Amino acid sequence: MRFPYGPAALSMLVLSILSAVWLAFNPIPPKKATLVMWTFAKTHYDAYKQAIPSFEAKHPGVKVDLQLVSWQAVTSRLQAAFLSDLDVPDLVEVEISAAGSFFRGPLKDVGFRDLTDRIKQSGLYDRMVQARFAPYTSRGRIFGLPHDVHPVMIAYRRDIFDQLGIDVSKIQTWDDFIAVGRKVTIPGKRYMLELPDSESSRFEPLLYQRGGGLFDPQGNCIMDNEIAVQTMLFYVPLVAGPNRIASDLGGGQIFTRAVEDGYFLCMITPDWRSKTIEVDVPKMRGKMALMPLPAVYPGGRRTSTWGGTMIGITKHCKYPDLAWELALHLYLNKDDLAQRFRDTNILPPAKDAWDHPAYDEPRPYWSNQPLGRLYAQLAPDVPFQYTSPFIGTAKGKLSEALVACVQYYKQNGDKGFEEFVRKRLKQSADEVRRLMRRNPY
């Protein structure tokens, strides 16, 4: 007797029956933890594993299940889990470039709890660097507690600077920096600065430094405004054309070799990257140093920001008050933060934590500079960066505009360059705006 709906349907029916039988004899074990927390960063995971036992000791009977998950899981898997009401953790750390995508649709439909009142009433809004709440805010409501500040400095080969007679105290503006770069750059052999010409990861901090961004506080796309135009006109000649002073070779071993050989003299370096450089280029111990970012104009801002992480409490959490206590335990304990800084070089956003001696300790790798104090002095001036559910699309379109502007400049130089920059940035911004109009969620 033939199955009336065909062999494909029969196969699906058989698989469904077998799956049901398997699940019947192998039920999913019930969760034993009181709170489940996801983080995507191994360094965060290691630090929290040390901190959670003391939290559990303060709350007898409470069990925290800390899970290290991939960055992709935090984005795509969590988005799907919110929609399907399956396997949603109680607390989640989300990377800054993905956070905006969770704030789609009406506020009541956002999967994270609104933390605005908790943050304002507890005084945290004033205790922390306020600019760091902006990436986790939508329509005036805050959905995440910032993990970091990530102020930006410039890491440089101090030993080569000394040999070349470069006095960093005289580099106050980007004009000063470029003038020095033109003197010491040897095309194909040595470049003043590591900067990419094919993606916008370093363009964005320089855009923020000028007070620009991809979106304004209301979520409108502004990546073609006058600040963005001026940033592109500044950036492209650094990485393209006969007078360029910057180059990029990528990461990994080739970056290590480039720094060791003096191919790159300077690198844009937020706090987290200073640790990456220590690990990836250990031979440069004692030969590196840090200086503030050159200002756009005399007396202007000497830093920016690059990267970030928030922690949020999901609406599925059954114990939001307990989850809030855990978030504060992980993000505010001064001694834990100090040790975390020693391990990762990441400056916490709570300003009252910076009076710990750990931030004044000299670092032999960085020519005995007090790494923490240098970053902390700049941290209150980090710029605001606003977000949108379309943040990922905007970053991609900005990179496309950068590549097009670089190609134009290589072929035509200054001739018609400003007009092209304005037109190309507007094209990318219009594409983002068109997508935003088509999809209100």
Side-chain angles (χ1 to χ4, degrees), residues 223-351:
M223 54 190 282
D224 59 344
N225 66 9
E226 188 61 27
I227 296 176
V229 170
Q230 294 304 319
T231 306
M232 190 67 81
L233 291 172
F234 157 77
Y235 187 97
V236 172
L238 296 179
V239 300
N243 295 319
R244 71 184 177 116
I245 63 168
S247 181
D248 179 43
L249 298 175
Q253 293 182 347
I254 194 168
F255 172 80
T256 300
R257 183 67 181 272
V259 176
E260 290 178 350
D261 289 351
Y263 183 86
F264 295 133
L265 298 184
C266 300
M267 292 136 275
I268 291 179
T269 306
D271 53 356
W272 59 267
R273 199 184 190 205
S274 68
K275 174 57 71 174
T276 302
I277 293 173
E278 290 177 23
V279 173
D280 289 349
V281 201
K283 289 184 179 179
M284 291 300 100
R285 178 186 171 93
K287 298 180 179 179
M288 301 291 294
L290 292 157
M291 63 176 172
L293 213 60
V296 176
Y297 52 84
R301 177 185 284 129
R302 299 294 303 271
T303 190
S304 185
T305 187
W306 178 8
T309 298
M310 65 161 244
I311 189 169
I313 301 172
T314 68
K315 286 182 177 173
H316 291 74
C317 178
K318 295 180 180 178
Y319 310 103
D321 292 338
L322 188 64
W324 175 249
E325 284 191 48
L326 176 58
L328 299 186
H329 181 79
L330 298 178
Y331 275 34
L332 293 180
N333 184 292
K334 187 178 288 189
D335 290 335
D336 287 349
L337 291 174
Q339 186 56 46
R340 213 171 294 166
F341 170 75
R342 291 186 176 108
D343 295 337
T344 66
N345 292 356
I346 293 176
L347 188 76
K351 292 177 284 188

Side-chain angles (χ1 to χ4, degrees), residues 41-234:
K42 180 66 163 56
T43 52
H44 298 189
Y45 177 83
D46 291 340
Y48 301 157
K49 289 290 286 184
Q50 301 297 320
I52 283 175
S54 58
F55 177 80
E56 292 175 334
K58 291 179 183 176
H59 301 83
V62 169
K63 179 67 178 175
V64 178
D65 180 10
L66 176 67
Q67 299 180 11
L68 179 64
V69 299
S70 69
W71 187 90
Q72 287 79 7
V74 173
T75 52
S76 56
R77 182 177 155 195
L78 183 59
Q79 293 277 19
F82 276 148
L83 294 173
S84 58
D85 197 26
L86 290 174
D87 195 24
V88 177
D90 300 288
L91 299 99
V92 190
E93 284 195 328
V94 182
E95 201 269 337
I96 193 169
S97 62
S101 64
F102 287 94
F103 307 148
R104 290 178 181 273
L107 288 173
K108 65 180 179 59
D109 293 337
V110 174
F112 286 103
R113 290 178 180 269
D114 184 343
L115 302 180
T116 311
D117 294 339
R118 288 182 185 272
I119 290 171
K120 296 287 181 66
Q121 292 170 6
S122 64
L124 278 178
Y125 191 73
D126 296 320
R127 284 179 63 188
M128 291 186 161
V129 177
Q130 293 182 359
R132 298 306 287 169
F133 288 105
Y136 316 124
T137 299
S138 181
R139 288 153 286 183
R141 311 306 296 177
I142 304 171
F143 293 97
L145 199 60
H147 168 272
D148 38 55
V149 186
H150 293 336
V152 169
M153 299 184 76
I154 282 190
Y156 65 96
R157 281 286 304 269
R158 181 197 52 76
D159 57 331
I160 296 180
F161 267 37
D162 289 346
Q163 294 169 15
L164 296 173
I166 300 172
D167 182 355
V168 296
S169 69
K170 295 182 178 178
I171 300 177
Q172 297 292 313
T173 66
W174 277 110
D175 287 343
D176 299 333
F177 186 89
I178 292 170
V180 172
R182 294 260 165 81
K183 292 179 182 177
V184 302
T185 293
I186 304 173
K189 295 182 179 179
R190 184 171 71 197
Y191 289 92
M192 181 67 168
L193 184 60
E194 178 217 20
L195 273 186
D197 61 2
S198 58
E199 49 91 8
S200 64
S201 64
R202 258 55 65 87
F203 180 90
E204 289 177 43
L206 301 183
L207 178 64
Y208 298 139
Q209 183 189 17
R210 291 171 178 251
L214 302 178
F215 297 93
D216 68 10
Q218 290 73 44
N220 301 305
C221 181
I222 58 168
M223 54 190 282
D224 59 344
N225 66 9
E226 188 61 27
I227 296 176
V229 170
Q230 294 304 319
T231 306
M232 190 67 81
L233 291 172
F234 157 77

